Amino acid sequence: QVQLAESGGGSVQAGGSLRLSCAASGSIFNIDAMGWYRQAPGKQRELVARITRSGSTNYADFAKGRFTISRDNDKNWVYLQMNSLQPGDTAVYYCRGENRDIRYADYWGQGTQVIVSS
């Protein structure tokens, strides 16, 4: 199995920055692309950013120009640098590891809370 553990969340004022980290352990060879999602109370979980093993990235529109996703394939960690944070970014941020075997479910971390104050 794969275990994902997020860290780096916290409280910042609008305009501030945070860097989230996700550490993968276990059967890490099962992980393909990795990504970050977020979910606010009462709202659906949404994609923030995604990165493949080769380094190709995809961003949600709200993240473009403000957030940067990166990964260390050797350590199997993924990061999310978040700049120019706004109150609308307040959410629990989750790390996802896509399963290389499409027959099985992807892996999810427990999430890390991000609070942006006005």
Side-chain angles (χ1 to χ4, degrees):
Q1 65 179 30
V2 171
Q3 301 289 331
L4 302 177
E6 302 96 336
S7 61
S11 297
V12 297
Q13 292 185 338
S17 298
L18 285 173
R19 185 172 187 258
L20 307 183
S21 300
C22 173
S25 61
S27 302
I28 57 176
F29 52 84
N30 288 330
I31 299 176
D32 195 359
M34 300 187 73
W36 288 95
Y37 289 70
R38 72 184 189 184
Q39 186 170 24
K43 295 185 177 181
Q44 189 172 355
R45 188 173 299 187
E46 62 182 344
L47 171 72
V48 178
R50 177 180 179 270
I51 185 168
T52 68
R53 283 186 172 270
S54 63
S56 297
T57 58
N58 295 99
Y59 294 92
D61 286 341
F62 65 79
K64 293 177 180 177
R66 296 192 299 133
F67 297 176
T68 302
I69 189 171
S70 61
R71 71 186 293 173
D72 184 328
N73 288 328
D74 292 333
K75 296 197 299 183
N76 219 31
W77 281 46
V78 64
Y79 309 92
L80 184 68
Q81 178 67 46
M82 303 188 294
N83 299 325
S84 301
L85 285 164
Q86 300 298 315
D89 297 316
T90 296
V92 177
Y93 284 71
Y94 297 90
C95 180
R96 185 182 80 147
E98 297 180 10
N99 200 312
R100 283 186 161 180
D101 191 337
I102 197 171
R103 298 173 297 177
Y104 297 95
D106 295 333
Y107 309 103
W108 290 91
Q110 297 281 30
T112 184
Q113 178 73 62
V114 171
I115 299 175
V116 184
S117 302
S118 61

